[in-house]
Amino acid sequence: MSAETSVPRPREPGLDISDSDLFRGLMSEAPFAFAFFNPDGRFVRVNSTFTELTGHPVELHLDRQPAELLPADLTTLIEAALRRIADEALPVTDQRIRTRAENGDSRHWTVSFFPMRDDDGVVGTALFGVDVTERQLNEEMLERSEERYRSLVESQQQLVWISSPSGSVAEDAPQWRAITGQGLEEYLAHGWLDAVHPDDRPGTEEAWREALRGRTMFEWSYRVRTRASGYRHFEVRAVPIIRHGRVVEWVGANTDVTPQREAEEMRGRLTDQLGAAALRTARLQGATAQLAEALTVEQVVQVIIDVGRTALAADHSSVALLDLDRATLKLISSGGTPDTRGEEIDLAQPNVMTMAVNSRRPLFAESPDSLRAQLVDAGADEAQISGFLAQTDERAWVGLPLLAAGRATLFEREHKTAETLQRSLLPERLPVVRGLTLAYRFRSGSRHVQVGGDWYDAFVLQDGRVAAVVGDVMGKGVKAAAGMGRIRNAMRALALTNPPPAAVLTGLDRVFEATEEEEQVTTLAYMVVEPGTGEGTLALAGHPPPLLVSPQGVGLLHETEPGTPLGWATSRKQFRFCVPPGHTAVLYSDGLVENRKRGLDAGLRELSSVVAEAPPEVLNSPNMLLDFLVDHMLSGYEQDDDVTVLAVHVPPATKSD
């Protein structure tokens, strides 16, 4: 029998393996499980390691069959291997089994069976088993780790890919191909670039080559053509895997950011629309102020023409004066219309201007059919109207009557208009918000038409926080009030779209440059605060700092950069500004602290000291606090400017909170 045979007794001279102490010693101390079966499938020898697999002592195995000792699953595996060896005389290797120890721990084994031969054929079967528990546990841990990684990648909508050191794709990326519809051959090598948007491909290729040359992280974004022939936005990041100083591969991940991009584009379009609306509103308000200040016919005509061109985008503008004695309209400006300057139009003749004057209200015709219908109803000749419409490229018309009395009446109306305009642009009431108390005081310093540009505002943002602002448009009269209205409306539109103070001030700078005169100076203080906690942010545009009043009567001016007035080239900054529970933040215009007899610095020092004189009941009431501050700061001084004060109070926390 060959040297591979351990039982029965070997035929090699000089060594009786069945009784050899050396053989028994090796088998007993071997780190692997060993068993030998005779042709009848009975145990002839086992070592101690094999008893760990079965749970029985060595002696109990000898001359017994597996079914007499072992569990059914282990018995089935051994008997199947023994039958195969008996039939085919070939080894049976790498059979996996799991056993359970007395303490309940599971152990994993790899078992192999080998036929033992002599000159007459197979004389028995040797079993060798290796404990692979640790390896199995490591494999399971690695598999769980891979599953977690795969789940994480899939949950983040990421496409993972691998390329060679040269950047050529050599492995499949099923997720990429599922989105793009590319076949495997189309995708491999550099075929993935064919799915990149043509406008994005040149930059993507150059950035990828640069990363390969420098062995640096590749970060880029591009659009990818989808299976449905649309495009999705992806951000990609890839890193080189370096071993022993050499790049062995690149691993990258593409993240689908289409929803974010679409949201950004929508937000951008909305911002543009709001900006355009704010600009149109500002121009119309500017025209209102100019009309109120125009004292000559020429000035009125020029304002109307400018309004038609800039605010209404009108192609032509005509202005006519009413002659009541003659019941006619006399054209004083044709503004590019077919009418002739100096021409007189009988009020009985139906047209856009005469109908507006006769009805004393605006006339709107949004289409040629609308104009035809209104003029025919007023008695105009339909054939003449059809002839006019066939020759003109105009498609919409507006007629506006401008009514005015004498010089004294004009100034009276201007004064009333100025005050009404200023009051109408200020909120009648402030929002009621749980966890926040708002209060305001406004004292006009106007004399005759000397209306100022002070203003305040407070409103709730989409995320539940509250925006508060106090501003001052320098100057007097309708012009200052109208400027205040333009900035206030623009600020609301910007804040409701992108509320961070620095972003709002940056947007206001652009609006200011587009609508206001260079010599105009406008300042403001703008803060956003969280109800309940008082956490917030603040930005100043050349405005005095807010005052923080504690429940103990300590007034502190916020130490921050004052910034520059609106429209000045600067990088806007915002700062943390917290109003702790029980405290009150006070925003104010310079009319509260500055006048002809008191400079700004002296007024700011006096404002802080006045707070210390307030009794406890005043400190706990925002309305009483504002009355106290205004009365004490103006006491002994002649008010020569508007005074605007806005309080933001965070009530102290209670047990119910």
Side-chain angles (χ1 to χ4, degrees):
M1 188 170 65
S2 68
E4 292 181 356
T5 305
S6 56
V7 291
R9 295 179 181 275
R11 299 177 181 177
E12 286 80 352
L15 180 62
D16 186 353
I17 296 179
S18 63
D19 296 326
S20 170
D21 291 337
L22 175 61
F23 178 80
R24 287 195 300 271
L26 289 174
M27 289 299 100
S28 62
E29 300 298 329
F32 53 84
F34 170 76
F36 188 84
F37 301 88
N38 64 18
D40 296 330
R42 295 180 178 276
F43 287 103
V44 176
R45 289 189 182 277
V46 297
N47 67 353
S48 59
T49 304
F50 185 82
T51 64
E52 296 179 11
L53 189 149
T54 64
H56 299 294
V58 172
E59 295 78 9
L60 190 61
H61 293 78
L62 302 181
D63 203 32
R64 291 175 179 267
Q65 292 185 335
E68 300 178 53
L69 300 173
L70 306 182
D73 55 345
L74 184 55
T75 298
T76 300
L77 183 146
I78 293 176
E79 289 180 346
L82 294 178
R83 285 195 300 271
R84 183 174 177 183
I85 289 177
D87 295 339
E88 303 175 4
L90 296 175
V92 178
T93 60
D94 294 331
Q95 302 296 299
R96 291 292 186 100
I97 61 172
R98 185 175 66 175
T99 63
R100 187 175 298 277
E102 292 182 359
N103 61 3
D105 292 342
S106 294
R107 302 195 66 80
H108 298 267
W109 302 79
T110 297
V111 180
S112 297
F113 300 82
F114 298 94
M116 307 300 291
R117 300 181 179 85
D118 63 6
D119 295 339
D120 298 327
V122 176
V123 296
T125 300
L127 176 153
F128 295 90
V130 179
D131 188 339
V132 293
T133 302
E134 184 175 355
R135 186 176 69 185
Q136 179 71 24
L137 294 177
N138 289 337
E139 290 176 353
E140 292 176 355
M141 185 178 299
L142 179 60
E143 184 178 356
R144 287 196 298 270
S145 177
E146 291 176 347
E147 290 175 350
R148 295 190 191 104
Y149 173 74
R150 184 165 52 252
S151 299
L152 178 62
V153 169
E154 292 175 353
S155 67
Q156 294 181 346
Q157 295 183 317
Q158 287 187 328
L159 311 179
V160 178
W161 51 269
I162 298 174
S163 79
S164 67
S166 64
S168 177
V169 175
E171 294 187 19
D172 190 13
Q175 288 178 292
W176 171 277
R177 295 195 298 106
I179 290 176
T180 63
Q182 287 184 307
L184 180 59
E185 295 302 321
E186 293 177 294
Y187 166 68
L188 295 177
H190 300 284
W192 62 274
L193 284 165
D194 294 335
V196 176
H197 193 286
D199 294 343
D200 300 340
R201 177 166 178 165
T204 301
E205 286 188 275
E206 178 58 31
W208 180 225
R209 285 195 296 266
E210 185 65 27
L212 292 172
R213 286 193 295 266
R215 303 199 305 178
T216 58
M217 180 183 294
F218 173 58
E219 292 184 285
W220 202 251
S221 61
Y222 47 71
R223 288 163 290 176
V224 173
R225 185 188 66 250
T226 66
R227 182 188 297 271
S229 298
Y231 283 93
R232 307 282 296 179
H233 292 270
F234 281 87
E235 289 183 353
V236 59
R237 174 177 294 182
V239 295
I241 306 301
I242 300 176
R243 295 176 188 162
H244 308 297
R246 297 179 56 192
V247 175
V248 295
E249 64 183 6
W250 288 77
V251 178
N254 288 24
T255 304
D256 190 339
V257 294
T258 304
Q260 297 92 310
R261 289 295 181 88
E262 291 177 346
E264 291 173 0
E265 292 174 359
M266 178 66 72
R267 185 162 53 248
R269 288 194 296 270
L270 180 59
T271 300
D272 292 342
Q273 293 172 0
L274 290 173
L279 186 58
R280 287 194 299 271
T281 301
R283 285 171 173 166
L284 287 172
Q285 290 177 335
T288 302
Q290 294 175 36
L291 279 174
E293 294 182 349
L295 300 179
T296 67
V297 173
E298 288 77 10
Q299 291 174 340
V300 173
V301 171
Q302 189 58 50
V303 170
I304 292 174
I305 293 175
D306 290 344
V307 169
R309 183 182 65 254
T310 61
L312 302 179
D315 296 321
H316 307 121
S317 300
S318 297
V319 181
L321 285 180
L322 172 64
D323 187 335
L324 285 175
D325 295 334
R326 303 179 62 181
T328 61
L329 289 175
K330 182 178 181 180
L331 285 173
I332 58 175
S333 172
S334 61
T337 64
D339 305 300
T340 304
R341 181 182 176 90
E343 178 183 352
E344 290 190 352
I345 305 172
D346 194 303
L347 287 179
Q349 176 184 339
N351 70 15
V352 174
M353 289 190 291
T354 59
M355 292 176 65
V357 170
N358 290 331
S359 64
R360 301 175 67 85
R361 58 187 178 83
L363 179 140
F364 299 96
E366 66 276 9
S367 67
D369 289 340
S370 174
L371 179 66
R372 185 197 312 274
Q374 294 187 61
L375 292 180
V376 169
D377 288 344
D381 183 86
E382 187 170 1
Q384 291 182 350
I385 299 173
S386 298
F388 166 74
L389 294 176
Q391 297 175 2
T392 183
D393 57 355
E394 298 171 357
R395 286 296 176 266
W397 298 262
V398 178
L400 301 173
L402 182 62
L403 309 177
R407 177 76 175 188
T409 305
L410 177 62
F411 277 98
E412 188 73 19
R413 181 181 295 112
E414 183 181 359
H415 174 62
K416 184 177 180 180
T417 300
E419 289 186 335
T420 303
L421 176 61
Q422 185 183 38
R423 292 289 182 180
S424 67
L425 293 174
L426 298 177
E428 295 181 359
R429 62 182 61 87
L430 298 178
V432 177
V433 182
R434 183 178 181 182
L436 211 62
T437 304
L438 301 171
Y440 74 93
R441 292 295 181 271
F442 176 76
R443 290 191 183 182
S444 175
S446 62
R447 293 294 184 269
H448 302 293
V449 296
Q450 297 300 304
V451 176
D454 274 19
W455 59 286
Y456 64 90
D457 202 2
F459 47 95
V460 180
L461 301 172
Q462 293 181 354
D463 59 4
R465 295 181 299 166
V466 174
V469 61
V470 167
D472 187 3
V473 179
M474 304 303 178
K476 304 293 182 183
V478 175
K479 186 175 182 180
M484 172 263 285
R486 290 192 294 272
I487 298 302
R488 175 183 178 271
N489 290 340
M491 199 219 73
R492 271 211 171 206
L494 293 168
L496 291 173
T497 304
N498 192 12
V504 171
L505 263 60
T506 300
L508 284 177
D509 284 333
R510 293 195 294 266
V511 173
F512 195 93
E513 292 174 356
T515 62
E516 307 302 315
E517 299 177 359
E518 292 184 358
E519 63 272 19
Q520 179 63 61
V521 177
T522 298
T523 68
L524 62 84
Y526 170 54
M527 65 178 291
V528 175
V529 63
E530 179 81 28
T533 66
E535 288 290 337
T537 51
L538 166 75
L540 300 178
H543 204 80
L547 177 72
L548 185 63
V549 180
S550 73
Q552 295 76 32
V554 178
L556 296 177
L557 293 170
H558 191 265
E559 296 182 359
T560 185
E561 297 181 19
T564 58
L566 293 181
W568 292 36
T570 183
S571 176
R572 295 298 180 184
K573 298 179 181 179
Q574 62 187 37
F575 306 91
R576 179 178 180 269
F577 183 69
C578 180
V579 186
H583 289 62
T584 304
V586 180
L587 307 178
Y588 52 93
S589 64
D590 59 0
L592 180 70
V593 294
E594 187 178 24
N595 52 48
R596 293 188 182 93
K597 296 182 179 180
R598 179 175 60 196
L600 179 60
D601 291 340
L604 293 176
R605 290 193 297 269
E606 187 174 347
L607 179 62
S608 298
S609 63
V610 164
V611 174
E613 303 172 13
E617 63 271 17
V618 170
L619 297 171
N620 295 326
S621 170
N623 285 287
M624 295 175 64
L625 177 62
L626 292 188
D627 288 334
F628 183 89
L629 291 177
V630 172
D631 291 340
H632 282 68
M633 291 300 294
L634 297 184
S635 177
Y637 297 99
E638 180 183 356
Q639 183 183 347
D640 55 11
D641 196 1
D642 291 350
V643 173
T644 305
V645 192
L646 179 65
V648 179
H649 176 73
V650 178
T654 62
K655 292 183 179 180
S656 60
D657 295 334

